[in-house]
Amino acid sequence: MFPNQFDYHRPTTVAEAVGVLQQNPDAKVLAGGHSLLPAMKLRLAAPSALVDLSKVEGLTGISTNGSVVIGAMTTYAELRDSAALKAALPIVPETAYHVGDPQVQAVGTLGGSLAHADPSADFTAVALALDASVKAVGADGDRTIPAEELFVDLFTTSLAPDEVLTEIHIPAATGRTGMAYEKFRHPASGYAVVGVAAVVSVGVDGTVAQARIAVTGATSKATRATAAEQALVGKPLSADSIAAAAAVANQGLELNGDHYASAEYRAHLLGVYTRRALERAAASLG
Amino acid sequence: MVAAQEAPAKLVGQPLKRREDPRLITGAGNFLDDVKLTGLCHAAVVRSPYAHARIVGIDAEAARRMPGVVAVFTGEDLAEVNPLPCAWQAGNVQNNVNTPRLLALGEVHQVGDPVAVVVAESAYLATDAAAAVEVSYEELPVVVDARKATEPGAPQLHDNAPNNVVMNWTCGKEAAEVDAALAAAPVRVNQRVVNQRLIPTAMEPRGSIGRYDEGTGEYTLWATSQAPHVHRLLTAAFVLGVPEQKIRVIAPNVGGGFGSKIFLYFDMPLVLWLSKQTGRPVKFFEDRSENYLHTTHGRDHITDIEVGAEPDGRITALKVKTWANLGAYLSTIAPGIPTTLYGRMVAGCYKIPNIHVDVTGVYTNTAMVDAYRGAGRPEAAFVIERVCDLVAAETGLDPAEVRRRNFIQPEDFPYDSGIGMLPYDSGNYELALDRAMENVGYAALRQEQAARRANGSRKLLGVGLSSYVEVCGVAPSKWIGLAGEGWGAGLWESANVRVHLTGKTVVTTGSLPHGQGHETTFAQLVADELGVPYDDIQIEHSDTQGTPFGFGSYGSRSLTVGGTAIYKSVAKVREKAKELAAHLLEAAPEDIVFENGKAFVRGTPDASKTIQDLALAAHVAYDLPPGMEPTLEATTFYDPPNCTFPFGTHVCVVEVDRDTGEIDLLRYVAVDDVGNVINPLIVDGQVHGGIAQGLAQALYEGAVYDDSGELITGTMNDYAIPRARMVPTYELDRTVTPSPVNPMGAKGAGEAGTIASTPAVANAVIDALAHLGVRHLDMPLTPEKLWRAMAPKTG
């Protein structure tokens, strides 16, 4: 309930934030705080300092001009309610609605979630399925990290300790693209026991040109279900091809088990949830 | 004085919004953690990380030297202080009692056992210093399962409890007689059922603040308490050895309890002791993790059921063997729950001629188990309502029909179930069942279920019934007391009603709220009975200084017992007012009528004295009848002749996903009979919350320990409680069968929802799978469990 002692910094620019991080190797960046602060109160995390990004200019906002750019400090509630995103990338507001509860949605941020890399978070899978990348700013300037390279392991990313995740970039969808996120919600935490994000593009010939399917909750980090993706590409998006993809959704994945849901059950759920996500993605093609 | 010109509308029966809510929900209410005292110190507890271990040594020197640390104490420092008492032991049997010390001495028996306490200038500093106290342990073997704990060779917790047995207790007929009835029954079913452990999870955790006044030698304890008078008594006379009048206990606004705040906990006497030692007021306030680890849990029964029935569904014999896990030590009333409140209620609403109940209370290396919303009765209802469905499955009868054929009939009341419970007061069980079936559209649901099964639907439909009866307003001191059921005191309640000179009316009551809306319900009652305006009535409670003794709020007893004390005090006030009015109106007392707050001579209502006139006259006292004492007030100590027995039928309709085992709650219909209702809005709220708690047990809630005794559902990230998005729309209805036990005809409503809903939901889910050969599944009915149950059987 009472965290260890820590210093608190509230910079107003990204450069200032990076500077504080460089001087405090054990500092942590504070975004919405919904994961970090409980961990500190349980004394599972004891950063020497917090670098609060809430007053840093330019870290919020949604731009849907061509590719989509979302500021790291944009809250789930803003994503959930964005008319522009509902039109351009409906999977994003839909997923935001399923994160936690309204209180979490009001304060939790997209950048915070991706930088925390909780293995059961929702947006990690969505970022993979959307082929998103993040902009990270450090002492030597900025770099772009594809989501695939961002998530390294359980609560571990490829961000350097003195880097700040500032933006999320999502390429514009090409052709007819359908997308959906399906989640089996843990009754206590609200996190995904199994979550499947599917983004499928169909070419002019009616077959799947590109399929990106990512899973969360079932593995130590959000991961693409490549076998399921391959089962779709070049096929018409039909009940048969969806069933074939669902059948191999857990292939090559090492699955978690816990007292609530065994690895065997998660493997089964992955198939069902992949099917459901693909069915809704197909329906959203129009 | 201005007299009311028209008869006020009756408030009893009106759905008034709770008058206490604006302060409670806007942050204006004072809860324990809001109490600020000059010089307040904060206590942090060093807790055992092991479920069973010998304390080898404690090094607190580093902690003592840390900044802001006032003092550090260990169990050795409190060796002369008594352990906590166990106030309710199982009646008429040997109880092998072991209760917690304020700080463990020598051994710890559960994860979270307090071994040392740090007092510091702030909660942060206290927490830092507690982490610096070094305790070395020698680990001992652990057992967490009640049945395993009684097996030969199991790890032993306490020297005076061989095989970890607290007590063996039975009720009903002799086992041999019931065995014979079972043997003679043409239909037989045996089933083991588990009623899993739950964590009460009140919105506000527990805490206490102690202040010792050196000048007067008096102690004040602020505590999150459902029973301040009892806490004073136990702390003074049983633990600290301080004269009772030297301790004052105040319960500020209490944020829920569900029973968990009935009991005396280590921190209550500890903060008083610490305050005396340090000369500073000391606060302890547990965090949620400590609450989950160490505040009492509920349920945790393993029960073997043997039932015998006729082919027409009549149940002829029921034999129940229960292992009740009571945790590492006995909490304040722990042994009474699985005996009097569980064993004596297993007959439910049914006439069963042969019943034998055998309960073994067991120590394990887990948190203490004590009363939790319903306390014994949910466990009993779960057993008997599963029995009804098992008999239905075995005989091929509809579950409703099995219930109908066994119901106690309206003309049978008062009804003695033959297993030592007081006679059920009144009831009409079939009426409630009929109403519930009609409201839910039962026949159509069964048709749809059959159709879905026939067409191979992937959405399996299940309908679950639960007809329940429970015992509320537990009181008659003569019955519940030491010589009978083992409760070491009475269970009466008291109230004082005082009409001040200005006509403003103050009720002081030993009953107290922790979320139930006493201030509203009691004021409605007094407004009607005394004829004073609702807004002129103040309900005072929760402070041993200024309220008469009360045994506390639990077991849906505040209205039926405490409320009756108020009702009777009002009647006494009215009688005195009439006498005074007779004097002032120069009439004979027997000619005075008292109506709507006015006293007048029969036939001449225009020449009346209002209750306010009479209060003024009684206080200024210069014109009283000979011998009458000044003021207008009365006190009643009320010990009821019987308990009350609310009942009803709940129906739950679920849909189970054939592919994943996921469950949708489609409908929830409840028909409750809580007798006459004072405030239907409050009763509905109680039923809503109760159903939510009960359905959570059926579907996802449950405390889980691993084999090392670690609570793996130790945070709200792992322990599932119902959220708004997880509960269905409730369709509530009521029948009204007044209780003859009290003048209001009320039965109590605090626990009905919890008691009814767990079996209703469990029965519905199991019913959805019945055509696949599933007869029983243990709770919580998680999707994985259902998925496995639905899997094609191999081998």
Side-chain angles (χ1 to χ4, degrees), chain B residues 51-53 107-109 139-159 161-165 327 362-365 707-709:
Chain B
H52 196 190
E107 268 190 29
V108 290
H109 296 99
E139 284 186 74
L140 295 169
V142 169
V143 63
V144 298
D145 175 281
R147 259 185 70 256
K148 287 181 188 158
T150 61
E151 286 169 0
Q156 298 292 298
L157 271 75
H158 303 288
D159 292 342
N163 302 316
N164 300 308
V165 171
V362 185
Y363 290 115
T364 63
N365 297 110
D707 289 340
S708 76

Side-chain angles (χ1 to χ4, degrees), chain A residues 58-75 78-79 82-89 92-93 110 130 133 166-173:
Chain A
L59 291 184
T60 59
I62 299 161
S63 149
T64 54
N65 201 1
S67 69
V68 172
V69 180
I70 301 172
M73 289 291 282
T74 306
T75 64
E78 289 163 328
L79 300 177
S82 163
L85 282 176
K86 281 175 192 168
L89 287 174
V92 173
L110 179 59
L130 287 172
S133 57
T166 57
E167 280 175 6
I168 295 91
H169 290 251
I170 301 165

Side-chain angles (χ1 to χ4, degrees), chain B residues 271-433:
Chain B
V271 292
L272 297 178
W273 187 89
L274 289 171
S275 180
K276 187 173 186 185
Q277 294 291 317
T278 61
R280 303 273 299 272
V282 176
K283 178 200 281 187
F284 166 79
F285 197 70
E286 65 181 10
D287 63 24
R288 183 62 66 185
S289 302
E290 292 178 293
N291 176 267
Y292 270 24
L293 269 187
H294 194 248
T295 284
T296 54
H297 294 173
R299 319 275 190 262
D300 206 343
H301 285 194
I302 301 169
T303 296
D304 283 347
I305 298 169
E306 293 176 71
V307 60
E310 294 293 326
D312 67 0
R314 278 180 299 128
I315 300 167
T316 54
L318 174 64
K319 195 174 175 196
V320 169
K321 164 72 197 173
T322 295
W323 290 264
N325 191 339
L326 299 180
Y329 312 91
L330 295 184
S331 170
T332 312
I333 63 171
I337 307 306
T339 54
T340 300
L341 292 181
Y342 163 76
R344 300 202 190 285
M345 284 306 292
V346 298
C349 322
Y350 311 105
K351 287 185 185 180
I352 303 174
N354 299 287
I355 301 178
H356 176 78
V357 179
D358 177 330
V359 177
T360 300
V362 185
Y363 290 115
T364 63
N365 297 110
T366 61
M368 292 186 286
V369 175
D370 207 324
Y372 167 55
R373 200 171 192 178
R377 292 149 288 170
E379 297 91 314
F382 187 74
V383 165
I384 191 63
E385 290 308 297
R386 286 271 58 238
V387 160
C388 286
D389 274 27
L390 289 165
V391 168
E394 197 66 23
T395 56
L397 293 164
D398 189 280
E401 201 50 38
V402 171
R403 286 169 173 82
R404 206 182 291 283
R405 288 181 188 175
N406 287 285
F407 273 150
I408 299 158
Q409 295 301 312
E411 62 272 18
D412 295 330
F413 295 94
Y415 177 79
D416 180 353
S417 62
I419 50 175
M421 180 44 70
L422 289 173
Y424 295 4
D425 60 343
S426 62
N428 191 339
Y429 302 154
E430 198 158 1
L431 179 67
L433 174 71

Side-chain angles (χ1 to χ4, degrees), chain B residues 12 19-20 495 507-513 517-528 534 537 539-541 553 557-564 566 570 678 682 744:
Chain B
V12 167
R19 50 162 53 175
E20 46 273 82
V507 177
T508 55
T509 161
S511 294
L512 65 154
H518 288 52
E519 293 172 23
T520 302
T521 301
F522 286 167
Q524 286 177 262
L525 187 66
V526 172
D528 277 10
Y534 174 74
I537 301 163
I539 311 295
E540 295 185 345
H541 51 77
S553 288
R557 64 194 297 279
S558 286
L559 178 61
T560 57
V561 189
T564 304
I566 294 172
V570 170
I678 308 286
I682 287 180
M744 290 110 38

Side-chain angles (χ1 to χ4, degrees), chain B residues 156-176:
Chain B
Q156 298 292 298
L157 271 75
H158 303 288
D159 292 342
N160 68 344
N163 302 316
N164 300 308
V165 171
V166 177
M167 81 285 172
N168 283 307
W169 178 95
T170 62
C171 72
K173 291 186 175 173
E174 290 299 319

Side-chain angles (χ1 to χ4, degrees), chain B residues 18 144 182 256 280 283 290 293 415 424 445 488 527 551 560-561 572 584 611 619 637 682 710 720 728 744 747 793:
Chain B
R18 306 197 318 178
V144 298
L182 284 169
R280 303 273 299 272
K283 178 200 281 187
E290 292 178 293
L293 269 187
Y415 177 79
Y424 295 4
L445 285 167
F551 282 91
T560 57
V561 189
K572 290 177 189 172
L584 297 174
I611 185 75
H619 278 80
F637 296 86
I682 287 180
E710 182 160 356
M744 290 110 38
K747 282 176 176 268
K793 301 286 178 288

Side-chain angles (χ1 to χ4, degrees), chain A residues 1-3 42-43 97-98 100 184-189 259-262 264-265 268-269 272-273 275-276, chain B residues 123-124 127-128 287 289 657 659-660 662 700 704 713 716-720 723 725-726 782-784 787-788:
Chain A
M1 189 60 190
F2 298 98
L42 290 168
R43 298 199 166 195
Y97 175 79
H98 289 290
F184 183 112
R185 192 182 173 91
H186 191 282
S189 67
H259 88 270
Y260 180 73
S262 67
E264 189 188 357
Y265 183 54
H268 171 75
L269 286 180
V272 176
Y273 275 72
R275 173 172 58 75
R276 289 181 184 173
Chain B
Y124 288 88
T127 308
D128 287 346
D287 63 24
S289 302
D657 188 309
D659 296 330
T660 60
E662 289 166 285
Y700 38 79
V704 181
T713 54
M716 293 174 101
N717 227 20
D718 304 298
Y719 184 81
R723 322 277 169 118
R725 69 196 301 167
M726 292 153 79
T782 60
E784 176 165 6
W787 173 68
R788 290 187 183 280

Side-chain angles (χ1 to χ4, degrees), chain A residues 132-176:
Chain A
S133 57
V134 300
K135 181 175 162 187
V137 178
D140 306 325
D142 58 71
R143 62 179 178 133
T144 296
I145 310 173
E148 222 120 344
E149 291 167 25
L150 179 64
F151 309 127
V152 175
D153 203 352
L154 196 78
F155 301 112
T156 310
T157 67
S158 55
L159 287 165
D162 62 352
E163 273 182 319
V164 175
L165 192 165
T166 57
E167 280 175 6
I168 295 91
H169 290 251
I170 301 165
T174 52
R176 291 173 66 216

